[in-house]
Structure formats: C-alpha cells, structure tokens
Amino acid sequence: MKHLLGCAISMEKYKANIAMLLTQMFFAGMALFSKAAISEGMNPYVFVTYRQAFAVLALAPLAAFFERKTVVPLSYNILLKILLMSFLSTLSLNLYYFSIHYTTATFAAATTNIIPSITFVMAVILRVETLSIKQSHGMAKVLGSSVCVSGALVFALVKGPHLNFMNWSMGKTKGTHTSNFHYTLKEEWVKGSLVMLLANITWSLWLILQVPIIKQYSAKLRLATLYCLFSCIQSSVWAMAMERKISAWKLKWDINLFSVAYCGVIVTGITYWLQLWAVEKKGPVFTAMFTPLALIITAIVSAFLWKETLYIGSVCGGILLVGGLYLVLWGKNREAEREVNKDQILETKDGTTVECITLHSTSVI
C-alpha cells in the first residue's frame, strides 16, 4: 500500500513533465506527418484548409462546454481584429507547409526554436518590450537571439560531412546529371529555408499582436475556435484559387487523412490544453524549456525510419539553436524575477498591495 501511495505521489510530482514531454512528441509528430503527406503529393494549401477544419471540429465542442458560462461581448471591432489575425495565422501556416516540401521535417522542427528570439526582437522594435543592455538579463536576451538566428542560418546553409546511421547515406550517381541534381536540390533547400524563416516571422508577429485581443476577448477557447474557423475559410479560398483539380481535394484512408486529422485534433486541440495546463501549474519558462525536445525526437525518427541524412552543419546549427533559446529563456526568467522583487520592495515601502498580471501567448499552430 505504501509503495502504491509513493508511486502516486511521484506521478503527481512529475505530471507537468509528462504533459510537456507528450506535447513535444505531438509537435514532433506534426512535422513528421506533415512532411510525409506533402511528400506523397498532397497540396500544401489544401492541407492547411483541412487541418483548420479539423481544428474547428476539435475546439468548438470544448469551447461550448467549458466556456458556456463565460459571457464575453463580440463587437464588430474585435471581430475585425480576429479576422485580420486569422489572416496572419493562415499566411504563416501556408508558408510553413509550402517550405516543408523543399526542406525536411527536422529542419521544420529546428526553426520553430527561433520563434522566441524573433518575437523578442520584433517586440523591442515595436516597443512592446523594453531592452536593458546594461543588465545581465538584457545582454542574455540579445546574445541568445543572435545565437538562435546564427544557428538557424548554419542549419540551413552549412552542410559538411554527413553522419552515417546504420551505414546508409544519400544515393550517388556519376556524371553531369548528378551535379545538376545536387545544384537543383541546393536551390530548393535555400528557397524552402527562406520561406520557413518568413513563416516564423509572420507567426511571431501574430503572437505579439494577439496580446491586446486576448485582453479584450478573454474566452481563450472560443477565440482559438474563431481563429481556426476564419483561417479555414481564408485557406479554402486561397487553395481553390491555386488548386483547380477536384482530385487534389479528395481524402482517402491514407497518410493524408491521418496527417490533417492529427494536426487539427491532436496538435491544435489536445496540445493547446496541455500547454495551458502546464503554464498554469509551472509557468511559461518551464513549458518553453521543453521546446528543443521536438527537434531531437524529429531528428531521431527521421534518421532511423525515413533515412533522412543528417550533416555536421545541421548538428552544429541545432546546438546553437538550443543554446540560444536557453539564453533567451534565462534572460526572460531573470527579468521576471527582478520585476517580482521590485514589486515586493514597493509593497514593503508604501504598505500597499501590488498585483502583477502576466499575460501568456499560447500558440495554436
């Protein structure tokens, strides 16, 4: 009995860790299954449309049940803002799935690590966030952002020798055709990398601009459902303009159907809830610390199951990405601690209670 009780207490202690481990596994699955579906020939724009449709089906019942007692007015002004924000998320997703066709699942998982750095830089430019270079936390955020971006560039542009897993490597052919083939691959990789960077910049802008909307419309599940609904409509219009073949819209019982259902229901639905729960229990820094796990899981699965080639440059770039991310997170955590200490000093001096409200942006990508 004591042993069982001890196990239960231990499980309770590590609940948040297990939740975040599952979250990163789900994110890794998103990159892997998306790449598989698009490599099988599924149109990226059609993929986004179906993914958002499944997300609406997953989130709408949750919003109706859990927020049925939450009364939040939806004015025309807020509705217009939600519509514009949906356009940004639609643009980011379409760019992401377009670029994944020319890159790899590992690269897609790696570049999501630069989103905190890009968001920080854009927030400073837009004066949403202040920067204190003279303070250690300010220097850490600047240095971490620079290292993150450098890591992304190294990952995308530097190859070097490839790493052999179970004695496989890229197939080699002799002659002029081989050099032309590799030149074409290099061109496509650079194009895909640049588009992926643009997708991350767009998503970072979405994260920054949604902060005032959450203040005005606090029903988060309902808000996420509206985002996905408008995004689905916008994506369908764009997809129909770009893809006229009816056959491209047909879903069969294959990897395509599984991928869009997985990304819509699991990633947007379940992962959204897990992130919210973990943030409430442990805070945003704790949840962000697990982000590199998605890259590691994706790289291992891609290398062993799909024989995706890993290069020395990719490994070095990945290390820089993770190191830069942790520097940014350390700086943010240090800054938050200083703010709390300041508030405590103020409270002691004037005898009043200072209430700190921290607003966290939750990604539903």
Side-chain angles (χ1 to χ4, degrees):
M1 182 63 75
K2 287 183 179 179
H3 178 70
L4 290 173
L5 185 60
C7 288
I9 293 170
S10 180
M11 283 294 291
E12 186 69 29
K13 183 181 177 182
Y14 293 106
K15 249 186 197 178
N17 300 64
I18 295 167
M20 290 316 302
L21 179 60
L22 286 173
T23 297
Q24 295 309 316
M25 288 174 67
F26 291 151
F27 278 135
M30 180 185 74
L32 292 164
F33 293 130
S34 301
K35 176 65 178 177
I38 291 171
S39 296
E40 286 292 316
M42 190 173 189
N43 186 288
Y45 312 122
V46 174
F47 187 99
V48 174
T49 303
Y50 278 127
R51 175 195 162 147
Q52 296 302 76
F54 274 100
V56 173
L57 292 175
L59 287 171
L62 294 175
F65 180 77
F66 289 103
E67 296 178 343
R68 63 188 183 278
K69 295 180 181 179
T70 307
V71 180
V72 183
L74 185 63
S75 64
Y76 287 112
N77 182 36
I78 296 174
L79 194 63
L80 180 60
K81 289 179 181 178
I82 293 173
L83 188 64
L84 291 173
M85 292 297 294
S86 299
F87 174 75
L88 275 180
S89 66
T90 302
L91 179 61
S92 179
L93 285 172
N94 276 283
L95 289 171
Y96 175 88
Y97 286 112
F98 173 83
S99 66
I100 206 172
H101 177 68
Y102 297 102
T103 55
T104 63
T106 305
F107 179 74
T111 51
T112 56
N113 287 288
I114 68 170
I115 290 177
S117 300
I118 296 173
T119 306
F120 164 68
V121 172
M122 292 180 71
V124 171
I125 293 171
L126 295 172
R127 296 184 178 180
V128 175
E129 183 161 336
T130 56
L131 176 62
S132 305
I133 301 179
K134 293 180 180 179
Q135 303 291 336
S136 59
H137 58 81
M139 285 297 294
K141 288 193 288 185
V142 172
L143 183 60
S145 299
S146 304
V147 172
C148 257
V149 174
S150 301
L153 291 173
V154 170
F155 199 107
L157 304 176
V158 179
K159 294 297 180 185
H162 64 263
L163 301 175
N164 288 322
F165 287 94
M166 296 172 67
N167 298 321
W168 68 66
S169 62
M170 291 283 286
K172 295 181 180 179
T173 328
K174 293 180 181 178
T176 314
H177 174 72
T178 306
S179 61
N180 291 336
F181 175 71
H182 285 295
Y183 180 74
T184 306
L185 278 181
K186 188 177 179 181
E187 273 191 333
E188 290 184 346
W189 180 270
V190 172
K191 178 170 69 174
S193 301
L194 292 174
V195 174
M196 185 68 78
L197 179 62
L198 186 58
N200 289 333
I201 291 172
T202 309
W203 191 257
S204 297
L205 181 62
W206 180 85
L207 286 173
I208 294 169
L209 295 179
Q210 77 159 320
V211 172
I213 296 177
I214 294 176
K215 286 181 179 178
Q216 292 178 292
Y217 197 80
S218 57
K220 292 180 182 178
L221 271 174
R222 212 177 299 164
L223 180 61
T225 306
L226 288 172
Y227 278 148
C228 292
L229 176 62
F230 288 141
S231 178
C232 179
I233 295 168
Q234 293 162 352
S235 298
S236 62
V237 173
W238 177 251
M240 284 188 285
M242 299 300 293
E243 182 57 77
R244 304 295 179 86
K245 295 178 183 177
I246 301 296
S247 58
W249 289 83
K250 291 180 180 178
L251 287 176
K252 301 175 183 177
W253 293 99
D254 55 11
I255 188 65
N256 295 352
L257 175 60
F258 178 80
S259 297
V260 292
Y262 176 90
C263 291
V265 177
I266 303 295
V267 177
T268 308
I270 296 175
T271 304
Y272 178 79
W273 266 107
L274 286 174
Q275 280 184 311
L276 276 181
W277 180 83
V279 166
E280 288 175 355
K281 291 288 182 182
K282 296 286 187 176
V285 176
F286 175 84
T287 56
M289 292 288 281
F290 285 82
T291 304
L293 279 179
L295 168 60
I296 296 167
I297 295 167
T298 306
I300 292 171
V301 174
S302 296
F304 282 95
L305 293 187
W306 293 347
K307 299 186 179 181
E308 183 181 298
T309 306
L310 288 178
Y311 298 91
I312 295 293
S314 302
V315 174
C316 294
I319 292 170
L320 287 173
L321 275 167
V322 174
L325 173 66
Y326 281 127
L327 266 176
V328 173
L329 292 174
W330 181 86
K332 290 290 291 179
N333 193 36
R334 183 82 176 185
E335 185 180 37
E337 287 174 358
R338 288 174 68 90
E339 289 297 323
V340 170
N341 291 335
K342 262 188 199 176
D343 292 336
Q344 287 174 350
I345 292 168
L346 284 172
E347 185 178 346
T348 305
K349 282 184 177 179
D350 57 20
T352 57
T353 303
V354 180
E355 183 181 2
C356 293
I357 301 173
T358 306
L359 186 63
H360 310 303
S361 299
T362 305
S363 170
V364 291
I365 189 170

